[in-house]
């Protein structure tokens, strides 16, 4: 059990730094720090009688780590690798990458690298929002109950038997009240701690239907057109209630969402949605990245005032995709009006009223404001999207997960899969958010508890085809089976009519797992062992995550 020690609080006012370490409420003429510890909930809020700048608000816990303990700390956003680690584990930042390369490709922008300290010391690891220490089937859990006021970094120092929780607040200026830390500390089974956490957040379990469908991305990437998509549609065997999702490549540039590429889509996107309805094959879904624009876009050239800027007035780069892209300021009224027109056009005029895949959402909160933390900004950004989407389902992607708890129907829980197993060797040295089929699978397994509680988990697509990719049959089988076991989104970029007998058998074996429950998961070096419940019988699935040269070993348990 995590044993609470104290709160550390520091702030600046009148040019002086003040700090206190305490386990109880303290008050003076300047501020009041209210500390409570009751029924497994620990909170520390700040009230000020004068304007102050916050420097630190953290809680420290003692914990007796055991050799069998496994530590899980949730990664910053959808794509960040998030798995259980042994107590001597560690995380890798991007500081080993030569600066000219790191700057050119803006690797630091995808994750937490600009505002989180990475340690090379074994056992010193960090994550965001929630985490646990698992010993066999017992979970010692810590989870934030108020990420909308600021993200919470959870850090372990296994060698010293410490767990720290830091509220995002550095350089935040307040004049009256800051909600501060609010943490649930619990012990029990997986079901007990996760159910209790969501109960305390007042987020009821969600009866979200599992969606099936096709997405163009992993078959064509950006090389799509009206002709290609209609051919895909006509040759597909998707059902009337499935999703046919058009991914990136339909727009003239990222950010110019009202400008369809007329060379690719001479009849416009409405012609595609009309054809979908005419054939009765699925419901139309579409991809866009609402909070970013690429450098070659007209939006970037014509609306510099819409670009997000840091405290020094410099525009904020979001990453290196496309022609390089920049974040947009969600508080700019002109940009908000533009987004409203975009959503109205896409949903009501072009016919994409079933599903919006909204990507690269983290860009909205890359930098905090003087009066708002990243968590506050991301919460405002998601509320804006929810308002604009109305009843149209949202599939969030590339987003700090807590910001969309209970607010979107579906959310990606891993990085992009790849057409190979673990990307190119040199890419393994890059950021934690890089594409990797293996990493995506592991994220799906270790974030599985969010499925049906926070949203329907999207484990990305399964690929069973034996062409246009370098994955072995066993790797493709593993991907499909994990997706069926852990997610609520069952999408592919394959044409199932091209499947041979082997692919058909793999599909049937995977789909048969969709109603099974994962009881436990263990990652031993590179071997993934799942215990599942199928037809009231326990079963073990074992996957070799290194190369998967053989099919998973299945064993029934008494």
């Amino acid at each position: 059990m995590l044993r609470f020690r104290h709160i550390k609080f520091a702030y600046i006012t009148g040019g002086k730094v003040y700090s206190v370490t305490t386990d109880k409420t303290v008050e003076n003429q300047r501020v009041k720090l209210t500390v409570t510890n009751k029924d497994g909930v620990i909170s520390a809020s700040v009230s000020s009688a004068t304007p102050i700048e916050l420097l630190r608000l953290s809680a420290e816990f003692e914990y007796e780590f055991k050799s069998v303990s496994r530590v899980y700390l949730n990664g910053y956003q959808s794509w960040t690798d998030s798995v259980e680690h042994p107590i001597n584990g560690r995380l890798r930042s991007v500081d080993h990458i030569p600066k000219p390369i790191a700057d050119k490709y803006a690797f630091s922008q995808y994750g937490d690298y600009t505002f989180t300290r990475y340690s090379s010391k074994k056992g010193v690891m960090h994550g965001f929002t929630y985490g646990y220490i698992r010993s066999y089937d017992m979970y010692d859990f810590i989870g934030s109950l108020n990420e909308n006021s600021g993200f919470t970094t959870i850090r372990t120092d296994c060698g010293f038997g410490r767990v720290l929780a830091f509220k995002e607040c550095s350089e935040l200026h307040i004049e009256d009240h800051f909600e501060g830390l609010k943490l649930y500390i619990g012990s029990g089974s997986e079901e007990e701690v996760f159910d209790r956490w969501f109960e305390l957040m007042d987020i009821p379990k969600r009866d979200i239907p599992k969606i099936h469908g096709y997405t163009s991305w992993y078959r064509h990437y950006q090389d799509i057109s009206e002709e290609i998509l209609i051919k895909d549609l006509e040759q597909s065997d998707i059902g009337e209630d499935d999703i046919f999702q058009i991914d990136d490549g339909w727009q003239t540039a990222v950010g110019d969402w009202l400008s369809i590429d007329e060379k690719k889509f001479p009849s416009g996107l409405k012609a595609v949605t009309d054809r979908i309805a005419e054939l009765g094959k699925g419901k139309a879904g579409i991809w866009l990245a609402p909070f970013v624009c690429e450098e070659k876009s007209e939006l970037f050239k014509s609306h510099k005032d819409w670009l997000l800027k840091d405290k020094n007035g410099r525009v904020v780069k979001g990453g290196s995709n496309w022609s390089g892209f920049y974040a947009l300021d969600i508080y700019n009224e002109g940009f908000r009006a533009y987004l409203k027109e975009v959503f109205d056009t896409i949903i009501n005029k072009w016919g994409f009223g079933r599903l919006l895949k909204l990507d690269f959402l983290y860009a909205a909160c890359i930098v905090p404001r003087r009066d708002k933390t990243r968590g506050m900004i991301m919460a405002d950004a998601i509320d804006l999207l929810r308002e604009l989407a109305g009843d149209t389902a949202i599939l969030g992607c590339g987003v700090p997960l807590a910001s969309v708890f209970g607010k979107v129907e579906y959310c990606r829980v891993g990085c992009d899969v790849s057409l190979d197993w673990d990307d190119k060797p040199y890419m393994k040295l890059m950021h934690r958010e890089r594409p990797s089929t293996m990493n995506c699978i592991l994220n799906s397994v270790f974030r599985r508890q969010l499925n049906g509680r926070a949203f329907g988990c999207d484990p990305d697509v399964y690929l069973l085809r034996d062409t246009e990719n370098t994955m072995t049959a066993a790797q493709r089988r593993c991907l499909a089976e994990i997706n069926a076991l852990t997610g609520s989104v069952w999408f592919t970029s394959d044409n199932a009519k091209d499947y041979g007998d082997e692919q058909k058998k793999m599909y049937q074996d995977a789909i048969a797992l969709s109603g099974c429950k994962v009881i436990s998961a263990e990652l031993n070096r590179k071997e993934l062992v799942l215990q599942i419940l199928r037809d009231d019988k326990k079963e073990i699935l074992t996957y070799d995550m290194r190369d998967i040269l053989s099919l998973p070993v299945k064993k029934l348990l008494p």
Side-chain angles (χ1 to χ4, degrees):
M1 182 78 176
L2 289 159
R3 295 177 293 278
F4 174 58
R5 290 191 62 196
H6 53 243
I7 298 291
K8 286 190 175 182
F9 172 51
Y11 63 97
I12 300 174
T13 186
K16 294 183 179 180
V17 176
Y18 298 89
S19 64
V20 63
T21 299
T22 183
D23 62 356
K24 60 185 69 174
T25 297
V26 294
E27 185 175 9
N28 57 41
Q29 293 179 335
R30 298 176 298 275
V31 298
K32 180 179 180 180
L33 174 68
T34 304
V35 178
T36 63
N37 182 2
K38 184 179 179 181
D39 298 329
V41 176
I42 295 169
S43 66
S45 61
V46 180
S47 299
S48 65
T50 184
I52 64 173
E53 177 185 340
L54 299 181
L55 297 177
R56 174 174 176 149
L57 184 60
S58 64
E60 183 172 326
F61 301 85
E62 293 178 344
Y63 190 83
E64 185 179 346
F65 291 90
K66 305 177 180 67
S67 60
V68 297
S69 297
R70 292 293 181 267
V71 178
Y72 175 86
L73 299 166
N74 179 59
Y76 176 62
Q77 57 120 318
S78 298
W79 308 330
T80 311
D81 58 59
S82 302
V83 301
E84 288 184 355
H85 290 275
I87 61 173
N88 63 349
R90 53 190 170 190
L91 305 175
R92 187 180 65 219
S93 182
V94 295
D95 52 10
H96 61 284
I97 302 174
K99 191 174 186 304
I101 296 177
D103 290 345
K104 178 179 179 180
Y105 294 103
F107 289 134
S108 63
Q109 304 301 83
Y110 293 94
D112 62 352
Y113 311 104
T114 62
F115 57 91
T116 307
R117 178 178 59 84
Y118 278 73
S119 173
S120 60
K121 181 182 175 183
K122 291 182 178 180
V124 178
M125 299 171 282
H126 73 272
F128 290 82
T129 307
Y130 74 100
Y132 59 77
I133 301 112
R134 181 180 64 82
S135 297
Y136 303 111
D137 59 355
M138 179 60 66
Y139 287 68
D140 289 319
F141 185 91
I142 177 171
S144 171
L145 299 172
N146 62 344
E147 293 294 82
N148 286 356
S149 68
F151 297 137
T152 304
T153 304
I154 302 167
R155 186 180 299 274
T156 61
D157 189 336
C158 300
F160 279 89
R162 291 192 306 175
V163 176
L164 301 170
F166 297 87
K167 192 65 175 181
E168 173 198 2
C169 65
S170 180
E171 299 184 27
L172 177 68
H173 291 72
I174 65 170
E175 296 185 4
D176 44 24
H177 184 76
F178 178 57
E179 187 175 353
L181 280 167
K182 191 174 184 181
L183 303 168
Y184 160 57
I185 308 297
S187 293
S189 68
E190 176 185 304
E191 292 285 329
E192 288 171 339
V193 297
F194 277 94
D195 282 350
R196 179 58 176 156
W197 183 39
F198 277 88
E199 179 185 354
L200 288 168
M201 288 189 289
D202 198 24
I203 300 176
K205 285 191 175 181
R206 310 183 69 186
D207 185 20
I208 297 175
K210 189 167 187 172
I211 53 174
H212 300 70
Y214 173 88
T215 174
S216 59
W217 183 248
Y218 294 102
R219 191 172 183 189
H220 306 295
Y221 291 96
Q222 288 182 293
D223 296 327
I224 58 173
S225 67
E226 180 179 332
E227 180 182 2
I228 287 171
L229 292 178
I230 289 179
K231 182 179 179 181
D232 284 355
L233 177 66
E234 292 174 343
Q235 292 181 347
S236 74
D237 61 354
I238 66 173
E240 181 179 356
D241 294 323
D242 294 341
I243 306 293
F244 186 86
Q245 182 202 298
I246 300 174
D247 215 286
D248 188 8
W250 56 267
Q251 72 288 346
T252 53
V254 169
D256 297 340
W257 307 114
L258 298 177
S259 177
I260 300 169
D261 189 326
E262 293 181 354
K263 292 181 179 178
K264 294 180 177 182
F265 295 90
S267 305
L269 289 181
K270 185 66 165 59
V272 180
T273 60
D274 285 346
R275 187 60 175 156
I276 292 171
E278 180 184 339
L279 291 174
K281 287 189 170 186
K283 308 296 184 184
I286 196 167
W287 171 96
L288 66 154
F291 298 144
V292 301
C293 65
E294 63 175 306
E295 195 165 343
K296 75 173 186 179
S297 67
E298 287 302 315
L299 188 153
F300 178 80
K301 297 171 186 175
S302 303
H303 293 284
K304 291 290 196 300
D305 57 316
W306 293 2
L307 299 177
L308 181 64
K309 298 176 180 64
D310 64 18
K311 62 183 180 181
N312 297 314
R314 296 172 300 200
V315 294
V316 177
K317 199 159 189 179
S320 59
N321 300 64
W322 309 292
S323 57
F325 68 97
Y326 292 82
L328 293 158
D329 182 0
I330 67 160
Y331 299 105
N332 181 283
E333 290 301 326
F335 173 58
R336 292 171 75 95
Y338 168 68
L339 271 192
K340 183 177 181 180
E341 183 182 4
V342 167
F343 276 66
D344 179 62
T345 300
I346 288 175
I347 295 170
N348 299 315
K349 297 179 181 178
W350 295 349
F352 292 97
R354 177 63 180 87
L355 181 74
L356 301 175
K357 179 182 176 182
L358 306 180
D359 210 349
F360 292 84
L361 299 183
Y362 69 87
C365 70
I366 289 177
V367 294
R369 296 162 59 105
R370 177 185 172 91
D371 61 338
K372 286 183 181 288
T373 65
R374 290 180 178 86
M376 294 175 185
I377 295 168
M378 200 70 246
D380 289 345
I382 299 304
D383 287 344
L384 173 62
L385 295 181
R386 187 70 273 171
E387 177 186 346
L388 296 178
D391 294 332
T392 301
I394 293 175
L395 194 169
C397 191
V399 64
L401 298 184
S403 301
V404 295
F405 282 5
K407 293 185 177 181
V408 301
E409 286 74 16
Y410 307 96
C411 187
R412 176 77 71 78
V413 292
C415 59
D416 279 15
V417 302
S418 180
L419 298 183
D420 49 26
W421 183 240
D422 193 23
D423 214 333
K424 308 299 184 289
Y426 64 87
M427 284 299 294
K428 298 177 185 181
L429 300 174
M430 302 306 172
H431 52 88
R432 296 171 62 193
E433 293 75 23
R434 67 181 176 88
S436 165
T437 303
M438 182 187 73
N439 286 352
C440 186
I441 288 170
L442 293 174
N443 271 35
S444 296
V445 168
F446 289 106
R447 283 173 164 169
R448 67 188 183 278
Q449 300 94 344
L450 302 179
N451 192 40
R453 289 186 172 98
F455 38 63
C457 287
D458 172 21
D460 208 5
V461 306
Y462 66 90
L463 300 169
L464 294 178
R465 65 182 189 256
D466 56 6
T467 59
E468 302 171 313
N469 74 81
T470 62
M471 287 189 283
T472 66
Q475 289 169 344
R476 288 177 275 128
R477 174 186 284 270
C478 175
L479 174 61
E481 292 190 355
I482 296 300
N483 285 12
L485 278 167
T486 62
S488 293
V489 179
W490 179 248
F491 276 15
T492 188
S493 291
D494 292 345
N495 180 358
K497 287 187 176 180
D498 292 338
Y499 286 170
D501 291 341
E502 180 184 30
Q503 286 78 38
K504 290 177 181 177
K505 177 67 163 56
M506 290 162 66
Y507 176 86
Q508 292 300 328
D509 287 346
I511 204 71
L513 291 170
S514 61
C516 300
K517 178 178 176 58
V518 178
I519 300 172
S520 66
E522 193 83 39
L523 181 61
N524 298 315
R525 295 183 181 271
K526 290 291 185 175
E527 184 178 69
L528 178 64
V529 182
L530 303 183
Q531 184 177 171
I532 69 169
L533 192 65
R534 189 204 303 245
D535 298 328
D536 296 324
K537 293 181 179 179
K538 291 181 180 178
E539 187 176 319
I540 293 288
L541 301 180
T542 302
Y543 301 92
D544 185 344
M545 302 302 287
R546 288 169 295 190
D547 47 31
I548 313 187
L549 297 177
S550 59
L551 297 180
V553 176
K554 301 184 180 182
K555 182 170 67 174
L556 293 175
L557 298 179

